Amino acid sequence: MAELTSALRANSSDLLAYFERRTEPRADAADLLSDTMIVAWKRVDRLPTDETDARKWLFGIASRVLSASHRASRRRHAAVERLRDELTRARLVTPTEVESLEESEQIRAAIARLPRQLQELVRLVHWDGFSLIDAAVVTGTSASTARSRYARARELLRDHLGPTATEMRSTSAMTEQ
């Protein structure tokens, strides 16, 4: 463990710079460095004894952590697009309103303003593709509780996404999944 601590001390500023040059926003670099340290700690038995090899090993881990982060980001953006399409189909917002939203960040921000239980339910249904019944199982709630929470989430999303959306009719297709 002392060898890993030494290797991380010797290379952490370079690893942080590596991430800062490759991430946007740069503030994410610290999280990626932390993830790299966790992976290195879990694989400490593979740490090379030579300092140069240890440096290359840490940068190899950093490269894989960065790739995983980019993949996760692409998945999040794809999920936001699916949610945007679903909100349009569910008539929570019109296609014109979706186009006028400041990209998907407004939708993400609206979801983030929901109570945590409602956020998870919306994400499971819209981002992860679960039916409402399956999302109830995942969250450990009854189907009726999930339905009422989902209905509440839809109301709140309408409020967060604009006054026109609140006038839209809810569709039963989404709650009957």
Side-chain angles (χ1 to χ4, degrees), residues 32-99:
L32 294 170
L33 176 59
S34 175
D35 292 345
T36 299
M37 291 177 172
I38 290 169
V39 172
W41 178 76
K42 289 178 179 178
R43 298 182 178 155
V44 69
D45 58 323
R46 298 179 187 163
L47 176 67
T49 55
D50 178 72
E51 287 181 26
T52 303
D53 289 340
R55 178 179 171 79
K56 289 187 273 187
W57 180 76
L58 286 170
F59 272 85
I61 292 171
S63 174
R64 289 184 293 281
V65 166
L66 184 62
S67 292
S69 173
H70 288 310
R71 282 191 305 273
S73 180
R74 286 191 300 272
R75 284 192 304 269
R76 273 192 305 277
H77 289 298
V80 168
E81 291 301 317
R82 287 193 307 273
L83 177 60
R84 181 191 316 220
D85 293 344
E86 186 62 34
L87 289 173
T88 302
R89 280 194 302 277
R91 296 185 140 155
L92 292 175
V93 292
T94 66
T96 304
E97 290 168 326
V98 169
E99 293 298 322

Side-chain angles (χ1 to χ4, degrees), residues 73-164:
S73 180
R74 286 191 300 272
R75 284 192 304 269
R76 273 192 305 277
H77 289 298
V80 168
E81 291 301 317
R82 287 193 307 273
L83 177 60
R84 181 191 316 220
D85 293 344
E86 186 62 34
L87 289 173
T88 302
R89 280 194 302 277
R91 296 185 140 155
L92 292 175
V93 292
T94 66
T96 304
E97 290 168 326
V98 169
E99 293 298 322
S100 69
L101 292 173
E102 295 175 15
E103 284 302 311
S104 58
E105 292 306 312
Q106 284 188 346
I107 294 171
R108 290 183 62 176
I111 292 170
R113 287 192 295 267
L114 295 173
R116 186 154 315 281
Q117 293 174 326
L118 303 183
Q119 288 178 29
E120 183 61 11
L121 194 57
V122 168
R123 288 175 180 144
L124 285 168
V125 170
H126 293 285
W127 294 3
D128 299 316
F130 285 97
S131 70
L132 192 51
I133 303 299
D134 291 341
V137 172
V138 170
T139 59
T141 59
S142 68
S144 62
T145 299
R147 277 190 205 79
S148 63
R149 286 181 181 167
Y150 187 75
R152 178 70 182 136
R154 289 176 55 202
E155 289 173 19
L156 292 171
L157 283 173
R158 282 187 201 111
D159 292 344
H160 293 312
L161 292 173
T164 308

